[in-house]
Amino acid sequence: MAALLTIGAAAFLLWAFAKGRPQDLPWTPLNLSEPVGMFTGRKLTALTGDFPQCRALLDQAGVRYTALPERRDGGQCGYADAVRFTEGGSRRIDFRPAGLGIACPVAAALAMWEWDVVQPAAQRHFGSRVVAIDHFGSYACRRIYGRDAGSWSEHSTADAVDIAGFRLTDGTRVTVVGDWRGDAAKAAFLREVRDGACTLFATTLSPDYNAAHRDHLHLDQANRGSMGWRACR
């Protein structure tokens, strides 16, 4: 069995190389402008701890942003790699409320999510574009679920963002809390963008996970190592 798995993996890597899909190979550099590949999500997560490289990739892809000052709140909370999207450049979707600050690996994944997942899904289901994404924020110095003890949330380092809904060019709004099990087209759109997020973020949690996520998609870039587990619910 092990030999068969090894042969299969080798065959896949040869196929990816022959087809000119470097994003499907684990050792090729990340390029935000390339389509999402087998190892894109892991490469995005690996940007944690390499702020200069993450910023270089945003620059290369034409993403405009402002680097935020380093922040420290006690021994567990804070960030040294946060950015805020600015107008213009290759991105078109605004975030509401404005001024969202996020860790750079989250920003890189959000840019790819817009280009490769959100906008194509909006065109398929509504024949329209998304102009804004509603969110519940990113940075919050707290433990998971706001508990008094236990693991610290990825929000405590701005490595997570909670997505509440989407606004289309015609004024239509799609919300997680109102449409996850509602209108067929809106529900299908939300599941498609959730599934697409799973290819880009280390953790993607939706109302299918638990009641605590009934009104948002939790997206984070938890750094669990190059071969660490990834969550998609």
Side-chain angles (χ1 to χ4, degrees), residues 10-62:
F12 171 79
L13 293 175
L14 287 173
W15 173 85
F17 181 79
K19 291 294 184 180
R21 287 182 54 86
Q23 64 271 30
D24 286 331
L25 301 172
W27 58 78
T28 54
L30 177 62
N31 184 334
L32 304 185
S33 299
E34 290 177 345
V36 179
M38 291 287 292
F39 289 90
T40 300
R42 293 190 180 276
K43 292 174 184 179
L44 286 164
T45 303
L47 293 174
T48 300
D50 195 345
F51 195 22
Q53 175 63 11
C54 187
R55 292 179 63 179
L57 288 171
L58 292 179
D59 293 337
Q60 180 185 37

Side-chain angles (χ1 to χ4, degrees), residues 20 34 68 93 146 152 155 157 164 188 201 206:
E34 290 177 345
L68 300 180
I93 295 179
W152 287 87
H155 285 284
T157 54
F201 293 89
S206 72

